[in-house]
Each structure stands twice: as structure tokens, then as C-alpha cells.
């Protein structure tokens, strides 16, 4: 069974950094592109970016490219999202997804709240 | 960025009724290789999204065949032929033809 489990969220102050993790199981992680998508409290869905199966290539939403970094450790079957200089508008639920025929599997999501 | 406009924003249906959701794109989603990267997702209350339809009209794994997708270019439709109680939630379309990938604003399906 495919499982994606995110962690690392919580309450963070504006301007701080935060690193989210997503542990994958039930499939060969190193065979798949992976992505991060976030959902705002108002339920708007926003694609953050994705990463090639071997970690050699990444794509980002232009508005987030300078502050967010996606990486992966295939030996640990883990996807990461490094968030820096966070802002109140980064408050959202963050999902990792597997990419195959679109985003075919999603994690349960992890909440990030940016507030002082 | 490509804007996906979903209508209606809210839909109320009785069990067994057939309903349709529209997703209109600000640009054609047909790429130069002849592919159309348009997807549909359902997010049930308190859950993460699940894939229903990929590449306009292909049913996702385990998805009941009362769901169907159609369309081309800029106009796409998700149809539910005989709504069931478990279908309540928010439906999103998503395009991956043009970077960055974008989502529609969602259609909430309520059961009367």
C-alpha cells in the first residue's frame, strides 16, 4: 500500500525557517518524481514544485522559487521541503504527492502556521 | 499562469442524480505532442485529495465508473452518473500542460 507521511509542521514565526519531511513507503521511491502542493485555509490549492526521481532536477512555482527548496534522500525514501523567510501567507496545509498520471497519491498533509 | 475556472462553485444533488462540473482553462491545454494534461480530484471532508480522472478521461485506480471525464482544448467536464453519499466533498481540476501547474478553485458537492 502506498503511503506518504508528512511531518515537521507547526507554529513558526515570520522570517524563520522550517523543514518538512515526507516519508514514502509501499513503492520504489527512487522511481518516481515527487512534488509538494499546499492548501490555504481558504482551500485554495497551490503547486509548490517537484523533483526528478534521482534528485537531479527541480521545478518551482516562480513566486516561491527564492524561498523554498525541494530535495530528496532516496536511501531514506524521504522527500523534503526547506522553507525559509516564511510569511503569514505561507500558512497552509502542505502535502507531498507522488507524480504518476498527475499526482496519483497524496499524503495526509501537515499544517504550517506562520504567526508571531 | 493558466487560470482554471470551475463552475458551479457549489452543487446540491440528491442520491442517484447525475451532475456535471465544468472546468474552463484560460489557454488550450493541448500540448505540441498532442497530449492534454487535465486531471480531476475529489477531496472528501477531512481528507487529502484523491485522483479521479487523469489525462481528461481516464479513470484513476479504484475509481467507480460512475465518474467520467470529457473535453478538449479549453473546456472540460466531470460527470457523476448517479451520485452516491460518499461523493460529497470538493472537486478540483488541475492542469499540468503549462508551467506552473495550476488548480481550479473547486466545486463543493453537497448531498440533499
Amino acid at each position: 500500500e502506498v503511503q506518504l507521511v508528512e511531518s515537521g509542521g507547526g507554529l513558526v514565526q515570520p522570517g524563520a525557517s522550517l523543514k518538512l519531511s515526507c516519508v514514502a513507503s509501499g513503492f520504489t521511491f527512487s522511481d518516481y518524481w515527487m512534488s509538494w502542493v499546499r492548501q490555504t485555509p481558504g482551500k485554495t490549492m497551490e503547486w509548490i514544485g517537484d523533483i526528478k526521481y534521482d534528485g537531479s532536477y527541480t521545478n518551482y512555482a516562480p513566486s516561491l522559487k527564492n524561498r523554498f527548496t525541494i530535495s530528496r534522500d532516496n536511501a531514506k525514501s524521504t522527500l523534503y521541503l526547506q522553507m525559509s523567510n516564511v510569511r503569514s501567507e505561507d500558512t497552509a496545509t502542505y502535502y507531498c504527492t507522488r507524480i504518476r498520471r498527475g499526482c496519483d497519491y497524496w499524503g495526509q498533509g501537515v499544517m504550517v502556521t506562520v504567526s508571531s | 499562469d493558466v487560470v482554471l475556472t470551475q463552475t458551479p462553485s457549489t452543487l446540491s444533488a440528491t442520491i442517484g442524480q447525475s451532475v456535471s462540473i465544468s472546468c474552463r482553462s484560460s489557454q488550450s491545454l493541448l500540448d505540441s505532442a498532442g497530449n492534454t494534461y487535465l486531471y480531476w480530484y475529489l477531496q472528501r471532508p477531512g481528507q487529502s485529495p484523491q485522483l479521479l480522472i487523469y489525462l481528461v478521461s481516464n479513470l484513476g485506480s479504484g475509481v467507480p465508473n460512475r465518474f467520467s471525464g470529457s473535453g478538449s482544448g479549453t473546456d472540460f467536464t466531470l460527470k457523476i452518473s448517479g451520485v452516491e453519499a460518499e461523493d460529497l466533498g470538493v472537486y478540483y481540476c488541475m492542469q499540468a500542460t503549462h508551467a506552473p501547474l495550476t488548480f481550479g478553485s473547486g466545486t463543493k458537492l453537497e448531498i440533499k
Side-chain angles (χ1 to χ4, degrees), chain B residues 27-73:
Chain B
Q27 302 177 37
S28 175
L29 298 185
L30 178 67
D31 77 356
S32 57
N35 301 307
T36 302
Y37 296 96
L38 189 282
Y39 305 85
W40 289 96
Y41 296 88
L42 165 60
Q43 186 174 32
R44 295 188 173 100
Q47 296 186 17
S48 53
Q50 66 169 100
L51 178 67
L52 295 176
I53 301 286
Y54 64 94
L55 300 177
V56 180
S57 59
N58 297 277
L59 216 54
S61 176
V63 176
N65 60 13
R66 64 179 179 274
F67 291 94
S68 62
S70 63
S72 63

Side-chain angles (χ1 to χ4, degrees), chain A residues 38-52:
Chain A
R38 68 183 182 182
Q39 185 171 37
T40 68
K43 303 302 182 184
T44 297
M45 302 289 286
E46 181 179 17
W47 177 76
I48 296 169
D50 56 30
I51 185 167
K52 193 176 179 179

